[in-house]
């Protein structure tokens, strides 16, 4: 189960370590303007004409991050404090955990400790996309979701199989509220099978349960 998370971390490390070699080769190629020489992007396995392409990719990644910050993505969803009954219900099924903002917040806090918070962020972004009806807004949000969670250039890339990626690439030709449905289901299943059992045994869940139990007894 830990393999998928380790693979994601390894991808991020490889992407970071490979930035410098690619840039160095690109700078070397720009010195020979009379030839067709170009650099080789290890991160995306394709040729690019010059360093400008890489700079554009980096600028787009920075712009996406700034846009998301400007939208004011909160550290957690607004929700009342969970009751003891609700927290006990989280142990009954993953669906019940994900049904309430308080449950998602607690689970998201746990995912952050495992460096896999992007799974919850992606799932939430897909849920938000489904609520949109304006075509231009849908296209913009779909683009941001793709750049933030699907692109191999993103540090928040989620782990998806090749079949789902192909579906997304086709869907992006004409984005809709359901462009990422297959991917969202795959990530939901991953969180359910991989992270949820560990969350139920985590200090975050046990401490919350104990605290609410003590308050219930005192009352």
């Amino acid at each position: 189960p830990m393999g998928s998370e380790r693979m994601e971390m390894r991808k991020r490390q490889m992407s970071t370590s490979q930035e410098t070699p690619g840039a160095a080769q690109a700078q070397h190629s720009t010195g020979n303007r009379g030839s067709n020489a170009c650099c080789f992007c290890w991160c995306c396995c394709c040729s690019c004409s010059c360093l400008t392409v890489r700079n554009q990719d980096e600028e787009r990644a920075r712009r996406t991050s700034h846009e998301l910050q400007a939208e004011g993505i909160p550290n957690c969803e607004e929700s009342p404090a969970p009751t003891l009954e609700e927290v006990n219900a989280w142990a009954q099924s993953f669906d019940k955990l994900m049904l309430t903002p308080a449950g998602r917040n607690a689970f998201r806090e746990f995912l952050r400790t495992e460096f896999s918070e992007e799974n919850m962020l992606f799932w939430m972004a897909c849920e938000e996309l489904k609520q949109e009806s304006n075509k231009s807004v849908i296209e913009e949000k779909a683009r941001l979701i793709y750049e933030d969670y699907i692109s191999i250039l993103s540090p928040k890339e989620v782990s998806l199989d090749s079949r789902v990626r192909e579906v997304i690439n086709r869907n992006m030709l004409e984005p809709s509220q359901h462009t990422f449905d297959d991917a969202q289901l795959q990530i939901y299943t991953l969180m359910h099978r991989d992270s949820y059992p560990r969350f139920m045994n985590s200090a975050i869940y046990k401490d919350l349960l104990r605290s609410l139990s003590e308050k219930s007894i005192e009352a």
Side-chain angles (χ1 to χ4, degrees), residues 60-80:
R60 184 171 66 245
R62 287 194 294 269
R63 185 174 66 251
T64 300
S65 177
H66 292 158
E67 286 172 350
L68 289 175
Q69 290 177 9
E71 290 177 4
I73 289 182
N75 289 328
C76 61
E77 297 177 78
E78 292 185 6
S79 70

Side-chain angles (χ1 to χ4, degrees), residues 167-178:
V167 170
I168 291 174
N169 288 333
R170 288 198 300 270
N171 290 343
M172 285 299 291
L173 296 176
E174 191 173 347
S176 72
Q177 300 100 318
H178 305 290

Side-chain angles (χ1 to χ4, degrees), residues 93-109:
S93 73
F94 183 60
D95 291 339
K96 289 186 177 180
L97 169 68
M98 293 288 283
L99 193 61
T100 64
R104 293 191 295 270
N105 285 337
F107 188 52
R108 180 175 168 183
E109 181 183 352

